[in-house]
Amino acid sequence: MAGDPRPVDVLVLGAGVAGLLAARALVGAGREVVVIDKGRGVGGRLATRRIGDGVFDHGAQFFTSADPWFAAEVAEWEAAGVVAPWFDRRLEPDGTSVVDGHPRWRGATGMTAIAKHLAVGLDVRTATRATALIAEDGGWRVRVAEGADLRAGSVVLTAPVPQTIELLAAGDTTLTPADQQALAAITYHPCVAVLALLDGPADLPEPGALRPAGEPLDWVADNQRKGISPVPALTVHAGPDTSRRLWDSPDEELVATLLAAVPGLQAAPLPGGTQVQRWRYARPEVLHPDPVLRLDGLPPAVLAGDAFAGARVPGAAASGRAAAALLLAEA
Ligand SMILES: Cc1cc2nc3c(=O)[nH]c(=O)nc-3n(C[C@H](O)[C@H](O)[C@H](O)COP(=O)(O)OP(=O)(O)OC[C@H]3O[C@@H](n4cnc5c(N)ncnc54)[C@H](O)[C@@H]3O)c2cc1C
């Protein structure tokens, strides 16, 4: 088509941890890579937000680094001042904890800091929403809401899988029955998150966080005690069943219900100091058995992310790395 942009080697859809690590590995191997993300900033579910003076992590809260490859990566992040250890204990539902010596890491200024660090030196285009993935001769055409199509020889697709399926369908891209079946099997838990700027400390046990039994809440943390907020700033995550049940409730009702469920909370939210975030695809529930999925019978397209190599930040990281390795091995 006249005026079409020149194709790049690889388009990475998603500037979360999986997409950014895939892009870094590909660029490191000499590939020309463009990363797009529909968000205003990078990070995806590594998400940090401000309300007034409060700083809140509202997606991922911390991560571990058991895998030696990931531990080496995290050591680099620590040396760069991007992450810091938060605690080294297993949190029990009754508020007690058992020291186990494994560091739980946080972003030094919030989880988004990690994504910002990983994005340095990459061609990352935020506020760029893909609307269709079209297989064409020699690669892929990616339709975007905000401008001209993008073209690439290969794609790495790290959006939550149901969203990737929609983008492929919108591009009339037909999957093999086996790929259709494998992708349809992947499911996610939702999570309703309430953020509240408080008029005083939340009085949570060490380390400023509580992991209740799972319903109605599965996580409560004071971001001030965590070390990222100058003022008391509470993140509350509803459990999966509660999130499904209350999904369509008005924000005020969600704030009132979830804050009332926080054990022993005396502090009150400041006026105008609350927000709600609904994560439709918070955490994978049924994962794909392999670290990535290479679509069959199409130009190179690799699905990656936390639904593939493990349901958390380390799994998403490992999957992004595996996606890059697979594409580099194919070339
Ligand atoms: C509430 C919550 C709590 C969590 N707690 C923890 C925790 O404590 N520890 C832990 O290890 N993990 C936790 N996780 C999980 C962790 O956040 C994820 O496993 C990890 O961040 C996933 O990274 P990813 O790169 O696979 O996906 P994402 O971070 O979701 O990245 C995908 C990106 O694709 C983009 N995208 C989607 N569709 C389009 C489109 N059409 N066009 C352009 N861009 C698009 C999105 O904007 C997004 O940035 C939590 C997640 C949530 C939501």
Side-chain angles (χ1 to χ4, degrees), residues 14 17-18 37-38 44-45 59-62 128 130 159 237 305-306 312-313:
V17 64
D37 200 294
K38 67 183 180 184
R45 282 170 277 163
Q61 298 294 300
F62 64 85
T128 304
H237 286 161
D306 65 343
R312 293 180 168 271
V313 170

Side-chain angles (χ1 to χ4, degrees), residues 8-10 23-34 154 324 327-331:
V8 293
D9 295 328
V10 186
R24 285 178 78 88
L26 290 162
V27 168
R31 298 298 185 276
E32 189 184 4
V33 179
V34 168
S154 310
L327 285 180
L328 292 171
E330 272 192 13

Side-chain angles (χ1 to χ4, degrees), residues 72-85:
E73 184 76 26
V74 174
E76 277 179 30
W77 300 350
E78 186 185 22
V82 174
V83 297

Side-chain angles (χ1 to χ4, degrees), residues 92-257:
E92 304 293 348
D94 63 1
T96 62
S97 56
V98 182
V99 173
D100 61 12
H102 297 300
R104 273 70 168 179
W105 298 93
R106 61 173 172 85
T109 55
M111 295 298 259
T112 311
I114 300 160
K116 286 183 179 162
H117 173 71
L118 293 175
V120 172
L122 297 177
D123 181 350
V124 182
R125 303 180 191 176
T126 52
T128 304
R129 175 192 290 269
T131 57
L133 294 165
I134 303 156
E136 60 179 18
D137 261 1
W140 289 88
R141 174 179 296 274
V142 181
R143 199 138 280 163
V144 294
E146 292 78 8
D149 293 354
L150 299 169
R151 294 168 65 219
S154 310
V155 287
V156 175
L157 306 173
T158 71
V161 170
Q163 296 178 335
T164 301
I165 293 173
E166 279 175 25
L167 293 173
L168 291 163
D172 289 328
T173 301
T174 308
L175 303 181
T176 63
D179 283 348
Q180 271 178 40
Q181 205 178 348
L183 295 180
I186 298 169
T187 58
Y188 294 76
H189 285 304
C191 177
V192 170
V194 162
L195 313 178
L197 201 54
L198 298 178
D199 64 1
D203 205 18
L204 296 171
E206 268 305 303
L210 185 63
R211 171 165 261 161
E215 302 294 342
L217 305 183
D218 73 4
W219 180 255
V220 184
D222 181 351
N223 293 285
Q224 185 182 38
R225 297 268 302 282
K226 183 177 186 177
I228 64 166
S229 176
V231 294
L234 198 68
T235 297
V236 182
H237 286 161
D241 295 346
T242 305
S243 295
R244 282 190 183 92
R245 189 165 50 79
L246 300 181
W247 188 258
D248 292 322
S249 305
D251 285 5
E252 319 78 73
E253 204 175 304
L254 288 169
V255 169
T257 307

